[in-house]
Amino acid sequence: MGDTYLSGDSEIKQKLLPLIESYVNGTRAYKEIKVGILGQDKVIDNEKERFEAFTPVGIALAGLLDGFNLCAVSMLLFFLSILVMSGRQNKELFLVGMSYIIGTFIAYFTIGIGLFKVGDIFKDAKAVMLAIYGLTIAMSIILAFFSFRDYISIKAVAIVMFAELWSMI
């Protein structure tokens, strides 16, 4: 408020009301802080500068780091556990694991490059970008629906199994 900055729950709870009262009572002068608003052209120029600052090494490292997400790691562990149970040897496990990691990296990297290219092609076509955003939202909603449906069906199966076990006791 004005030139005063409050941070955190306790500070806001303690100091906000007295600060407002000091402005209302006139014991404190309000100092307006001017914040420059960037125009559309300046925002576009800033984003172009940020995009042009990307290097192939930086993009590759970002893709490599993204490959270590929880889903990919858990799928790798699940996949390797199946191979261990089937009696595969250590060398085969290592090769399969490395193949999975490299394949995940290549897939994420190429998807990222493709999305950058699509964004660059349609950067001035707002209708196309809105359609892409709409498709992304629709796909997310559909996938969320299927995930929730799977959750409900698995929960129902678990309840039936629990009931059967309980009846045996």
Side-chain angles (χ1 to χ4, degrees), residues 80 83 87-99:
L80 290 177
L83 292 175
R88 303 293 176 157
Q89 300 300 318
N90 288 344
K91 184 178 179 182
E92 286 179 294
L93 294 174
F94 178 77
L95 290 174
V96 168
M98 288 307 296
S99 299

Side-chain angles (χ1 to χ4, degrees), residues 14-159:
Q14 291 173 359
K15 297 180 180 178
L16 183 61
L17 190 56
L19 181 64
I20 293 172
E21 288 174 353
S22 69
Y23 284 120
V24 171
N25 296 335
T27 57
R28 185 180 189 129
Y30 181 78
K31 296 178 187 174
E32 184 176 347
I33 298 174
K34 298 284 184 184
V35 178
I37 298 175
L38 299 177
Q40 181 74 16
D41 294 336
K42 184 66 176 172
V43 170
I44 291 172
D45 290 341
N46 287 349
E47 290 300 316
K48 280 183 182 178
E49 287 176 20
R50 285 180 59 202
F51 183 76
E52 289 169 356
F54 291 161
T55 63
V57 172
I59 293 171
L61 286 175
L64 186 62
L65 288 174
D66 187 50
F68 290 106
N69 63 54
L70 295 176
C71 181
V73 171
S74 64
M75 288 306 298
L76 175 62
L77 293 175
F78 178 72
F79 186 51
L80 290 177
S81 66
I82 290 173
L83 292 175
V84 167
M85 296 301 286
S86 68
R88 303 293 176 157
Q89 300 300 318
N90 288 344
K91 184 178 179 182
E92 286 179 294
L93 294 174
F94 178 77
L95 290 174
V96 168
M98 288 307 296
S99 299
Y100 177 82
I101 291 169
I102 291 168
T104 302
F105 169 73
I106 290 171
Y108 285 161
F109 184 74
T110 53
I111 289 169
I113 295 294
L115 289 174
F116 272 127
K117 190 65 176 170
V118 167
D120 190 46
I121 291 171
F122 295 115
K123 68 181 174 221
D124 296 326
K126 293 200 186 282
V128 173
M129 291 307 291
L130 286 174
I132 291 172
Y133 292 152
L135 268 170
T136 303
I137 291 169
M139 285 175 42
S140 298
I141 290 170
I142 290 168
L143 291 174
F145 169 77
F146 284 125
S147 293
F148 186 70
R149 190 186 71 177
D150 289 345
Y151 164 76
I152 296 295
S153 65
I154 288 171
K155 188 175 179 181
V157 169
I159 290 171

